[in-house]
Coordinates of all heavy atoms in Angstrom, one line a residue:
A1 N 0.5 -28.7 -51.3 CA 1.7 -28.0 -51.9 C 2.2 -27.0 -50.9 O 1.5 -26.5 -50.1 CB 1.3 -27.3 -53.2
T2 N 3.5 -26.8 -50.9 CA 4.1 -25.8 -50.1 C 3.7 -24.4 -50.5 O 3.8 -24.1 -51.7 CB 5.6 -25.9 -50.1 OG1 6.0 -27.3 -49.8 CG2 6.3 -25.0 -49.1
P3 N 3.2 -23.6 -49.6 CA 2.8 -22.2 -50.1 C 4.0 -21.3 -50.3 O 5.0 -21.5 -49.7 CB 2.0 -21.7 -48.9 CG 2.5 -22.5 -47.7 CD 2.9 -23.8 -48.2
L4 N 3.8 -20.4 -51.2 CA 4.7 -19.3 -51.5 C 4.0 -18.0 -51.3 O 3.0 -17.8 -51.9 CB 5.2 -19.5 -52.9 CG 6.2 -18.4 -53.5 CD1 7.5 -18.5 -52.7 CD2 6.4 -18.6 -55.0
L5 N 4.5 -17.2 -50.5 CA 3.9 -15.9 -50.3 C 4.2 -15.0 -51.4 O 5.4 -14.8 -51.8 CB 4.4 -15.2 -49.0 CG 3.9 -16.0 -47.7 CD1 4.5 -15.3 -46.5 CD2 2.4 -16.0 -47.6
S6 N 3.2 -14.4 -52.0 CA 3.4 -13.5 -53.2 C 2.4 -12.4 -53.2 O 1.2 -12.8 -53.3 CB 3.4 -14.3 -54.4 OG 3.5 -13.5 -55.6
G7 N 2.7 -11.2 -53.0 CA 1.8 -10.1 -53.0 C 0.7 -10.2 -52.0 O -0.5 -9.8 -52.3
G8 N 0.9 -10.8 -50.9 CA -0.1 -10.9 -49.8 C -1.0 -12.1 -49.9 O -1.8 -12.4 -49.1
E9 N -0.9 -12.9 -51.0 CA -1.7 -14.1 -51.1 C -0.8 -15.3 -51.1 O 0.4 -15.3 -51.4 CB -2.5 -14.1 -52.5 CG -1.6 -14.0 -53.7 CD -2.4 -13.9 -55.0 OE1 -2.8 -14.9 -55.5 OE2 -2.7 -12.7 -55.4
V10 N -1.4 -16.4 -50.6 CA -0.6 -17.7 -50.5 C -0.9 -18.5 -51.8 O -2.1 -18.7 -52.1 CB -1.0 -18.4 -49.3 CG1 -0.3 -19.8 -49.2 CG2 -0.7 -17.6 -48.0
R11 N 0.1 -18.9 -52.5 CA 0.0 -19.7 -53.7 C 0.9 -20.9 -53.6 O 2.0 -20.8 -53.0 CB 0.3 -18.9 -54.9 CG -0.7 -17.7 -55.1 CD -0.4 -16.9 -56.4 NE 1.0 -16.4 -56.4 CZ 1.5 -15.9 -57.4 NH1 0.9 -15.8 -58.6 NH2 2.8 -15.4 -57.4
P12 N 0.6 -22.0 -54.2 CA 1.5 -23.1 -54.3 C 2.8 -22.8 -55.0 O 2.7 -22.0 -56.0 CB 0.7 -24.2 -55.0 CG -0.6 -23.7 -55.2 CD -0.7 -22.3 -54.9
I13 N 3.9 -23.4 -54.6 CA 5.1 -23.2 -55.3 C 4.9 -23.6 -56.8 O 4.3 -24.6 -57.0 CB 6.3 -24.0 -54.7 CG1 6.7 -23.3 -53.4 CG2 7.5 -24.1 -55.6 CD1 7.8 -23.9 -52.6
G14 N 5.4 -22.8 -57.7 CA 5.3 -23.1 -59.1 C 4.2 -22.3 -59.8 O 4.2 -22.1 -61.0
S15 N 3.2 -21.9 -59.0 CA 2.1 -21.1 -59.6 C 2.6 -19.7 -60.0 O 1.9 -19.0 -60.7 CB 0.9 -21.0 -58.6 OG 1.3 -20.2 -57.5
S16 N 3.7 -19.3 -59.5 CA 4.2 -17.9 -59.9 C 4.9 -18.0 -61.3 O 5.3 -17.0 -61.8 CB 5.2 -17.4 -58.8 OG 6.3 -18.2 -58.7
L17 N 5.1 -19.2 -61.8 CA 5.8 -19.3 -63.1 C 4.8 -19.1 -64.2 O 3.6 -19.4 -64.1 CB 6.3 -20.8 -63.3 CG 7.4 -21.2 -62.3 CD1 7.8 -22.7 -62.6 CD2 8.6 -20.3 -62.2
T18 N 5.3 -18.5 -65.3 CA 4.4 -18.4 -66.5 C 4.2 -19.8 -67.1 O 5.0 -20.7 -66.8 CB 5.1 -17.5 -67.6 OG1 6.3 -18.1 -68.1 CG2 5.4 -16.1 -67.0
A19 N 3.3 -19.9 -68.0 CA 3.0 -21.2 -68.6 C 4.3 -21.7 -69.4 O 4.6 -22.9 -69.3 CB 1.8 -21.1 -69.5
R20 N 5.0 -20.8 -70.0 CA 6.1 -21.1 -70.8 C 7.3 -21.5 -69.9 O 8.0 -22.5 -70.2 CB 6.6 -20.0 -71.7 CG 7.6 -20.3 -72.7 CD 7.2 -21.5 -73.6 NE 7.6 -21.2 -74.9 CZ 7.2 -21.9 -76.0 NH1 6.4 -22.9 -75.9 NH2 7.6 -21.5 -77.2
E21 N 7.5 -20.8 -68.8 CA 8.5 -21.1 -67.8 C 8.3 -22.5 -67.3 O 9.2 -23.3 -67.2 CB 8.6 -20.1 -66.7 CG 9.2 -18.8 -67.1 CD 8.9 -17.7 -66.0 OE1 8.2 -17.9 -65.1 OE2 9.5 -16.6 -66.2
R22 N 7.1 -22.8 -66.9 CA 6.7 -24.1 -66.3 C 7.0 -25.2 -67.4 O 7.5 -26.3 -67.1 CB 5.3 -24.1 -65.8 CG 4.9 -25.4 -65.2 CD 3.6 -25.3 -64.5 NE 3.2 -26.6 -63.9 CZ 3.7 -27.0 -62.7 NH1 4.5 -26.3 -62.0 NH2 3.3 -28.2 -62.3
E23 N 6.6 -25.0 -68.6 CA 6.7 -25.9 -69.7 C 8.2 -26.3 -69.9 O 8.6 -27.4 -70.0 CB 6.2 -25.4 -71.0 CG 6.3 -26.3 -72.2 CD 5.7 -25.7 -73.4 OE1 5.7 -24.4 -73.6 OE2 5.3 -26.4 -74.3
I24 N 9.1 -25.2 -69.9 CA 10.5 -25.4 -70.1 C 11.1 -26.1 -68.9 O 12.0 -27.0 -69.0 CB 11.2 -24.1 -70.5 CG1 10.7 -23.7 -71.9 CG2 12.7 -24.1 -70.3 CD1 11.2 -22.3 -72.4
V25 N 10.7 -25.7 -67.7 CA 11.3 -26.3 -66.5 C 10.9 -27.8 -66.5 O 11.8 -28.7 -66.2 CB 10.7 -25.6 -65.2 CG1 11.0 -26.5 -64.0 CG2 11.4 -24.3 -65.0
L26 N 9.7 -28.2 -66.8 CA 9.3 -29.6 -66.8 C 10.1 -30.4 -67.8 O 10.5 -31.5 -67.5 CB 7.8 -29.7 -67.0 CG 6.9 -29.2 -65.9 CD1 5.4 -29.2 -66.3 CD2 7.2 -29.9 -64.6
L27 N 10.3 -29.8 -69.0 CA 11.2 -30.5 -70.0 C 12.6 -30.6 -69.5 O 13.2 -31.7 -69.7 CB 11.1 -29.8 -71.3 CG 9.8 -29.8 -72.1 CD1 9.8 -28.8 -73.2 CD2 9.5 -31.2 -72.6
A28 N 13.1 -29.6 -68.8 CA 14.5 -29.6 -68.3 C 14.7 -30.7 -67.2 O 15.6 -31.4 -67.2 CB 14.9 -28.2 -67.8
V29 N 13.7 -30.7 -66.3 CA 13.9 -31.7 -65.2 C 13.6 -33.1 -65.7 O 14.0 -34.1 -65.0 CB 13.0 -31.4 -64.0 CG1 13.3 -30.0 -63.5 CG2 11.5 -31.5 -64.3
D30 N 13.1 -33.3 -66.9 CA 12.9 -34.6 -67.5 C 14.1 -35.0 -68.2 O 14.2 -36.0 -68.9 CB 11.7 -34.7 -68.3 CG 10.4 -34.8 -67.5 OD1 10.4 -35.4 -66.4 OD2 9.4 -34.3 -68.0
G31 N 15.2 -34.2 -68.1 CA 16.5 -34.6 -68.7 C 16.8 -34.0 -70.1 O 17.9 -34.4 -70.6
R32 N 16.0 -33.2 -70.6 CA 16.3 -32.6 -71.9 C 17.3 -31.5 -71.8 O 17.3 -30.7 -70.8 CB 15.0 -32.1 -72.5 CG 13.9 -33.1 -72.6 CD 13.2 -33.1 -73.8 NE 12.1 -34.1 -73.7 CZ 11.3 -34.4 -74.7 NH1 11.5 -33.9 -75.9 NH2 10.4 -35.3 -74.5
T33 N 18.1 -31.3 -72.8 CA 19.1 -30.2 -72.8 C 18.4 -29.0 -73.3 O 17.3 -29.0 -73.9 CB 20.3 -30.6 -73.7 OG1 19.8 -30.6 -75.1 CG2 21.0 -31.9 -73.4
N34 N 19.1 -27.8 -73.0 CA 18.5 -26.6 -73.5 C 18.4 -26.6 -75.0 O 17.4 -26.1 -75.6 CB 19.4 -25.4 -73.1 CG 19.4 -25.1 -71.6 OD1 18.7 -25.8 -70.9 ND2 20.1 -24.1 -71.2
R35 N 19.3 -27.2 -75.7 CA 19.2 -27.3 -77.2 C 18.0 -28.2 -77.6 O 17.3 -27.8 -78.5 CB 20.5 -27.9 -77.8 CG 20.5 -27.9 -79.3 CD 21.8 -28.4 -79.9 NE 22.9 -27.6 -79.4 CZ 23.3 -26.4 -79.9 NH1 22.6 -25.9 -80.9 NH2 24.3 -25.7 -79.5
E36 N 17.8 -29.3 -76.9 CA 16.7 -30.1 -77.3 C 15.3 -29.4 -77.0 O 14.4 -29.5 -77.8 CB 16.7 -31.4 -76.4 CG 17.8 -32.4 -76.8 CD 18.0 -33.5 -75.9 OE1 17.7 -33.4 -74.6 OE2 18.5 -34.6 -76.3
I37 N 15.3 -28.7 -75.9 CA 14.1 -28.0 -75.6 C 13.8 -26.9 -76.6 O 12.7 -26.7 -77.1 CB 14.2 -27.3 -74.1 CG1 14.2 -28.4 -73.1 CG2 13.0 -26.4 -73.9 CD1 14.7 -27.9 -71.7
G38 N 14.9 -26.1 -77.0 CA 14.7 -25.1 -78.0 C 14.2 -25.6 -79.3 O 13.3 -25.1 -79.9
T39 N 14.8 -26.8 -79.7 CA 14.4 -27.4 -81.0 C 12.9 -27.8 -80.9 O 12.1 -27.6 -81.8 CB 15.3 -28.6 -81.3 OG1 16.6 -28.1 -81.5 CG2 14.8 -29.3 -82.6
L40 N 12.6 -28.5 -79.8 CA 11.2 -29.0 -79.6 C 10.2 -27.8 -79.6 O 9.1 -27.9 -80.2 CB 11.1 -29.7 -78.3 CG 9.8 -30.3 -77.9 CD1 9.4 -31.5 -78.9 CD2 9.8 -30.8 -76.5
L41 N 10.5 -26.7 -79.0 CA 9.6 -25.6 -78.9 C 9.7 -24.5 -79.9 O 9.0 -23.6 -80.0 CB 9.7 -25.0 -77.5 CG 9.4 -25.9 -76.3 CD1 9.6 -25.1 -75.0 CD2 8.1 -26.5 -76.4
G42 N 10.8 -24.6 -80.7 CA 11.0 -23.7 -81.8 C 11.5 -22.3 -81.3 O 11.2 -21.3 -81.8
V43 N 12.4 -22.4 -80.2 CA 13.0 -21.1 -79.7 C 14.5 -21.3 -79.6 O 15.0 -22.5 -79.7 CB 12.4 -20.8 -78.3 CG1 10.9 -20.5 -78.4 CG2 12.7 -21.8 -77.3
S44 N 15.2 -20.2 -79.4 CA 16.6 -20.3 -79.3 C 17.1 -20.9 -78.0 O 16.3 -20.9 -77.0 CB 17.3 -19.0 -79.5 OG 17.1 -18.2 -78.3
V45 N 18.3 -21.4 -77.9 CA 18.9 -22.0 -76.7 C 18.9 -20.8 -75.7 O 18.7 -21.1 -74.5 CB 20.3 -22.5 -77.0 CG1 21.0 -22.9 -75.7 CG2 20.2 -23.7 -77.9
R46 N 19.2 -19.6 -76.1 CA 19.3 -18.5 -75.2 C 17.9 -18.2 -74.6 O 17.9 -17.9 -73.4 CB 19.8 -17.3 -76.0 CG 19.9 -16.0 -75.1 CD 21.0 -16.1 -74.1 NE 21.0 -15.0 -73.2 CZ 20.8 -15.0 -71.9 NH1 20.6 -16.1 -71.3 NH2 20.7 -13.9 -71.2
T47 N 16.9 -18.4 -75.3 CA 15.5 -18.2 -74.8 C 15.2 -19.2 -73.7 O 14.7 -18.9 -72.7 CB 14.5 -18.2 -75.9 OG1 14.7 -17.1 -76.8 CG2 13.1 -18.1 -75.4
V48 N 15.6 -20.4 -74.0 CA 15.4 -21.5 -73.0 C 16.2 -21.2 -71.7 O 15.6 -21.3 -70.6 CB 15.8 -22.9 -73.6 CG1 15.8 -24.0 -72.5 CG2 15.0 -23.3 -74.8
H49 N 17.4 -20.8 -71.9 CA 18.3 -20.4 -70.8 C 17.6 -19.3 -70.0 O 17.6 -19.3 -68.7 CB 19.7 -20.0 -71.3 CG 20.6 -19.7 -70.2 ND1 21.2 -20.7 -69.4 CD2 21.1 -18.5 -69.7 CE1 22.0 -20.1 -68.5 NE2 21.9 -18.8 -68.7
S50 N 17.1 -18.3 -70.6 CA 16.5 -17.2 -70.0 C 15.3 -17.6 -69.2 O 15.1 -17.2 -68.0 CB 16.1 -16.1 -71.0 OG 15.5 -15.0 -70.4
H51 N 14.4 -18.4 -69.8 CA 13.2 -18.9 -69.0 C 13.6 -19.7 -67.8 O 13.0 -19.6 -66.7 CB 12.3 -19.8 -70.0 CG 11.5 -19.0 -70.9 ND1 10.6 -18.0 -70.5 CD2 11.4 -19.0 -72.2 CE1 10.0 -17.5 -71.5 NE2 10.5 -18.1 -72.6
L52 N 14.7 -20.6 -67.9 CA 15.1 -21.4 -66.8 C 15.7 -20.5 -65.7 O 15.4 -20.7 -64.5 CB 16.2 -22.4 -67.2 CG 15.6 -23.6 -68.0 CD1 16.8 -24.4 -68.6 CD2 14.7 -24.4 -67.2
N53 N 16.4 -19.4 -66.1 CA 16.9 -18.5 -65.1 C 15.8 -17.8 -64.4 O 15.8 -17.6 -63.1 CB 17.8 -17.4 -65.7 CG 19.2 -18.0 -66.0 OD1 19.6 -19.0 -65.4 ND2 20.0 -17.3 -66.9
H54 N 14.8 -17.3 -65.1 CA 13.7 -16.6 -64.5 C 12.9 -17.6 -63.5 O 12.6 -17.2 -62.4 CB 12.7 -16.1 -65.5 CG 13.2 -15.0 -66.3 ND1 12.9 -14.8 -67.6 CD2 14.1 -14.0 -66.0 CE1 13.5 -13.7 -68.1 NE2 14.2 -13.2 -67.1
A55 N 12.7 -18.8 -63.9 CA 12.0 -19.8 -63.1 C 12.9 -20.1 -61.8 O 12.3 -20.2 -60.7 CB 11.8 -21.1 -63.9
S56 N 14.2 -20.2 -62.0 CA 15.0 -20.5 -60.9 C 15.0 -19.4 -59.9 O 15.0 -19.6 -58.7 CB 16.5 -20.7 -61.4 OG 16.6 -21.9 -62.1
T57 N 15.0 -18.1 -60.3 CA 14.9 -17.0 -59.5 C 13.6 -17.0 -58.7 O 13.6 -16.8 -57.5 CB 15.1 -15.7 -60.3 OG1 16.4 -15.7 -60.9 CG2 14.9 -14.5 -59.4
K58 N 12.5 -17.2 -59.4 CA 11.2 -17.3 -58.8 C 11.1 -18.4 -57.7 O 10.4 -18.2 -56.7 CB 10.1 -17.4 -59.8 CG 9.9 -16.2 -60.7 CD 8.8 -16.5 -61.7 CE 8.6 -15.3 -62.6 NZ 7.6 -15.5 -63.6
L59 N 11.7 -19.5 -58.0 CA 11.6 -20.6 -57.1 C 12.7 -20.7 -56.1 O 12.7 -21.6 -55.2 CB 11.6 -21.9 -57.9 CG 10.3 -22.1 -58.8 CD1 10.5 -23.4 -59.6 CD2 9.1 -22.1 -58.0
G60 N 13.7 -19.8 -56.2 CA 14.8 -19.7 -55.2 C 15.8 -20.8 -55.3 O 16.3 -21.3 -54.3
T61 N 16.1 -21.3 -56.5 CA 17.0 -22.4 -56.6 C 17.8 -22.2 -58.0 O 17.4 -21.4 -58.8 CB 16.3 -23.7 -56.6 OG1 17.3 -24.8 -56.6 CG2 15.4 -23.9 -57.8
S62 N 18.9 -22.9 -58.1 CA 19.7 -22.8 -59.3 C 20.0 -24.1 -60.0 O 20.6 -24.2 -61.0 CB 21.0 -22.0 -59.1 OG 21.8 -22.7 -58.1
E63 N 19.6 -25.2 -59.4 CA 19.8 -26.5 -59.9 C 18.6 -27.2 -60.5 O 17.5 -27.0 -59.9 CB 20.4 -27.4 -58.8 CG 21.6 -26.9 -58.0 CD 22.8 -27.0 -58.9 OE1 22.9 -27.9 -59.7 OE2 23.7 -26.1 -58.8
R64 N 18.8 -27.9 -61.6 CA 17.6 -28.5 -62.2 C 16.9 -29.5 -61.3 O 15.7 -29.6 -61.2 CB 18.0 -29.2 -63.5 CG 18.3 -28.2 -64.6 CD 18.6 -28.9 -65.9 NE 18.9 -27.9 -66.9 CZ 18.7 -28.0 -68.2 NH1 18.1 -29.1 -68.7 NH2 19.0 -27.0 -69.0
G65 N 17.7 -30.2 -60.5 CA 17.2 -31.2 -59.6 C 16.3 -30.5 -58.5 O 15.3 -31.0 -58.1
D66 N 16.8 -29.3 -58.1 CA 16.0 -28.6 -57.1 C 14.7 -28.0 -57.7 O 13.7 -28.0 -57.1 CB 16.8 -27.4 -56.6 CG 17.9 -27.8 -55.7 OD1 17.9 -28.9 -55.1 OD2 18.9 -27.0 -55.5
L67 N 14.8 -27.7 -59.0 CA 13.5 -27.2 -59.7 C 12.5 -28.4 -59.7 O 11.3 -28.2 -59.4 CB 13.8 -26.8 -61.1 CG 14.6 -25.5 -61.3 CD1 15.0 -25.3 -62.8 CD2 13.7 -24.3 -60.9
A68 N 13.0 -29.6 -59.9 CA 12.1 -30.7 -60.0 C 11.5 -30.9 -58.6 O 10.2 -31.1 -58.5 CB 12.9 -32.0 -60.4
R69 N 12.3 -30.9 -57.6 CA 11.7 -31.1 -56.2 C 10.8 -30.0 -55.8 O 9.7 -30.3 -55.2 CB 12.9 -31.2 -55.2 CG 13.6 -32.5 -55.3 CD 14.6 -32.7 -54.2 NE 15.8 -31.8 -54.4 CZ 16.8 -32.1 -55.3 NH1 16.7 -33.2 -56.0 NH2 17.8 -31.3 -55.4
R70 N 11.0 -28.8 -56.2 CA 10.1 -27.6 -55.9 C 8.8 -27.8 -56.6 O 7.8 -27.3 -56.1 CB 10.8 -26.3 -56.3 CG 12.0 -26.0 -55.5 CD 11.7 -25.6 -54.1 NE 12.5 -24.5 -53.7 CZ 12.0 -23.5 -53.0 NH1 10.8 -23.4 -52.7 NH2 12.8 -22.5 -52.7
L71 N 8.8 -28.4 -57.7 CA 7.5 -28.6 -58.5 C 6.9 -30.0 -58.1 O 5.9 -30.4 -58.7 CB 7.8 -28.5 -60.0 CG 8.2 -27.1 -60.4 CD1 8.5 -27.1 -61.9 CD2 7.1 -26.1 -60.1
G72 N 7.5 -30.7 -57.2 CA 6.9 -32.0 -56.8 C 7.1 -33.1 -57.8 O 6.3 -34.0 -57.9
R73 N 8.2 -33.0 -58.6 CA 8.5 -34.0 -59.6 C 9.8 -34.7 -59.3 O 10.7 -34.1 -58.7 CB 8.5 -33.4 -61.0 CG 7.2 -32.9 -61.4 CD 7.2 -32.3 -62.8 NE 7.8 -33.2 -63.8 CZ 7.1 -33.8 -64.8 NH1 5.8 -33.6 -64.9 NH2 7.8 -34.5 -65.6
T74 N 10.0 -35.9 -59.8 CA 11.2 -36.6 -59.5 C 12.2 -36.5 -60.7 O 13.3 -36.9 -60.7 CB 11.0 -38.1 -59.2 OG1 10.4 -38.6 -60.4 CG2 10.1 -38.2 -58.0
G75 N 11.6 -36.1 -61.9 CA 12.4 -36.1 -63.1 C 12.3 -37.4 -63.9 O 13.0 -37.6 -64.9
T76 N 11.5 -38.3 -63.4 CA 11.4 -39.6 -64.1 C 10.0 -39.7 -64.8 O 9.8 -40.7 -65.5 CB 11.5 -40.8 -63.1 OG1 10.5 -40.6 -62.1 CG2 12.9 -40.8 -62.4
E77 N 9.2 -38.7 -64.6 CA 7.9 -38.8 -65.3 C 8.0 -38.5 -66.8 O 9.0 -37.9 -67.2 CB 6.9 -37.7 -64.7 CG 6.5 -38.0 -63.3 CD 7.5 -37.3 -62.3 OE1 8.6 -36.8 -62.8 OE2 7.2 -37.3 -61.1
P78 N 7.1 -38.9 -67.6 CA 7.2 -38.6 -69.0 C 7.1 -37.1 -69.2 O 6.5 -36.4 -68.4 CB 6.0 -39.3 -69.7 CG 5.1 -39.6 -68.6 CD 5.9 -39.7 -67.3
P79 N 7.6 -36.6 -70.3 CA 7.5 -35.1 -70.6 C 6.1 -34.7 -70.7 O 5.2 -35.5 -71.1 CB 8.2 -34.9 -71.9 CG 9.1 -36.1 -72.1 CD 8.4 -37.2 -71.3
P80 N 5.8 -33.4 -70.4 CA 4.4 -33.0 -70.4 C 3.9 -33.0 -71.9 O 4.7 -32.8 -72.8 CB 4.5 -31.6 -69.9 CG 5.9 -31.1 -70.0 CD 6.7 -32.4 -69.9
P81 N 2.6 -33.2 -72.1 CA 2.1 -33.2 -73.5 C 2.2 -31.8 -74.1 O 2.2 -30.8 -73.4 CB 0.7 -33.6 -73.4 CG 0.3 -33.3 -71.9 CD 1.6 -33.4 -71.1
R82 N 2.3 -31.7 -75.4 CA 2.3 -30.4 -76.1 C 1.0 -30.2 -76.7 O 0.3 -31.0 -77.1 CB 3.4 -30.5 -77.3 CG 4.7 -30.5 -76.7 CD 5.6 -29.4 -77.2 NE 5.2 -28.7 -78.4 CZ 5.1 -27.4 -78.4 NH1 5.4 -26.7 -77.4 NH2 4.7 -26.8 -79.5

């Protein structure tokens, strides 16, 4: 994995995400809309949007496709298990 410098330690890209941010990003890169993700997880569309924004900032990108590449996914894998 590509390292990401954070607080003096080297961590793989994506490890700086919270579990919820990672869960939402993985659903998003698998093609789900914010509304679908919100319904699936029982949160508002705004909450989904907020988590995606935080993840994008942490990973240094703003496109869903870039998020997938940063996490080493193509967007064609099945959604993560709940």
